[in-house]
Amino acid sequence: MAVQSKEVRSSSHLSRRNLWSGFLFGIGFVAFFDEAVFHQLLHWHHFYDKSTTSAGLISDGFFHAFSWFATVGGLFLFADLRRRNRLLLKKWIGGMLLGAGIFQLYDGTVQHKLMRLHQIRYVENVWMYDLVWNTTAVLMIVIGAALAVRTKKGERNAQ
């Protein structure tokens, strides 16, 4: 019986590890995408727009470094799960969508509206951009949570 509970604990730990690996990768990926597309290619904003362009570019560099640390950390966990043959792809994708959605919703509400570090785009009707940004974030969270819960139920049934 002690062996079985140890196996269940190990299985639970690996399940959480799949979720966290995807979560970190999701945060890193959506932050990287935001930085590359909206900051660099479209020039809509910088991470910090309350100062000079130079300060904005420096803040973008720190933001870019953060996104890569999260991405690489998530991928190291992913590689370890694959090496152990313990990768639960649906759980991982659920975690990825949760991480991406939570980060995007945080960015759209806290950084854009509460802290006013920057806006998505500096236009007259920014609310349309906010609506699309935050709705996309909520959709990622809902789909990611559904995948994570669905996988959790499947794991319980397999035990």
Side-chain angles (χ1 to χ4, degrees), residues 15 88-92 94 145-156:
S15 176
L88 304 169
L89 194 55
K90 282 185 185 177
K91 173 79 74 178
W92 190 84
L147 277 173
V149 168
R150 181 181 233 179
T151 309
K152 193 174 196 174
K153 288 179 185 173
E155 290 168 8
R156 248 188 261 134

Side-chain angles (χ1 to χ4, degrees), residues 23-84:
F23 191 85
L24 280 173
F25 181 80
I27 288 173
F29 177 78
V30 83
F32 170 78
F33 185 83
D34 179 22
E35 165 69 24
V37 174
F38 299 109
H39 296 221
Q40 294 176 11
L41 296 175
L42 297 175
H43 300 276
W44 282 6
H45 61 265
H46 295 292
F47 179 76
Y48 183 72
D49 274 339
K50 290 186 166 198
S51 187
T52 64
T53 302
S54 292
L57 289 172
I58 290 170
S59 69
D60 284 348
F62 284 117
F63 181 55
H64 197 64
F66 160 78
S67 73
W68 274 109
F69 281 122
T71 304
V72 169
L75 288 175
F76 268 109
L77 289 171
F78 181 88
D80 183 57
L81 289 164
R82 286 214 29 168
R83 182 184 60 81
R84 295 174 188 228

